[in-house]
């Protein structure tokens, strides 16, 4: 995971993890036949799920899996230049870190490899 692991001394985050793994069931990336990630499909699926759930079932599915704006980003984003961004929905003016994360991921070149990494601290 070096040089970008949270155990490093880079800013703004410092810390340790004791294990890591790729993805989590229900949070896999959708892939189109040409090998590109289908972010639109993932957001559409989250919106459709939210529309079909009654209150009882909605409370049993994690909030983020039911929200199109959270279908792609997670709480932390590591950019290609090595910057960690804490992603939340707090707005400052007309934008939020969540807007940044979605825009950043949507704007990546098609040949960039993206992974979703889960860590345990």
């Amino acid at each position: 995971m070096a040089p970008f692991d949270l155990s490093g001394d880079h800013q703004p985050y410092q810390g340790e993890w004791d294990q890591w793994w790729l993805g989590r069931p229900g949070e896999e990336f959708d892939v189109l036949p040409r090998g590109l990630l289908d972010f639109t499909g993932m957001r559409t699926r989250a919106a459709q799920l939210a529309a079909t759930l009654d209150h009882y079932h909605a409370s049993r599915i994690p909030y983020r899996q039911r929200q199109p704006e959270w279908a792609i980003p997670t709480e932390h984003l590591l950019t290609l230049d090595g910057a960690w961004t804490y992603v939340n929905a707090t707005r400052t003016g007309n934008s939020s870190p969540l807007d940044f994360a979605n825009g950043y991921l949507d704007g990546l070149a098609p040949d960039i490899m993206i992974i979703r990494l889960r860590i345990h601290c």
Side-chain angles (χ1 to χ4, degrees):
M1 299 306 302
F4 303 118
D5 61 39
L6 289 178
S7 297
D9 60 1
H10 53 278
Q11 295 296 324
Y13 301 107
Q14 296 178 3
E16 281 184 32
W17 54 56
D18 57 3
Q19 56 184 287
W20 61 271
W21 56 97
L22 297 177
R24 175 180 4 182
E27 293 184 353
E28 301 88 356
F29 284 123
D30 291 354
V31 179
L32 296 172
R34 66 182 186 271
L36 299 177
L37 299 173
D38 185 7
F39 290 162
T40 300
M42 293 174 69
R43 291 180 181 119
T44 299
R45 186 174 67 225
Q48 290 170 338
L49 177 63
T52 62
L53 293 173
D54 58 34
H55 179 72
Y56 173 78
H57 289 99
S59 66
R60 303 202 177 287
I61 295 177
Y63 175 80
R64 290 182 180 202
Q65 289 182 18
R66 298 179 276 127
Q67 303 302 313
E69 65 273 17
W70 281 107
I72 312 304
T74 56
E75 290 181 351
H76 298 279
L77 173 68
L78 176 61
T79 63
L80 292 174
D81 62 0
W84 284 96
T85 299
Y86 176 67
V87 180
N88 62 40
T90 304
R91 292 207 166 273
T92 304
N94 292 328
S95 66
S96 73
L98 181 56
D99 296 333
F100 168 78
N102 276 300
Y104 179 83
L105 292 167
D106 286 340
L108 289 173
D111 61 341
I112 298 295
M113 181 182 291
I114 301 173
I115 63 168
R116 178 169 283 155
L117 182 69
R118 303 292 299 179
I119 62 170
H120 180 267
C121 298

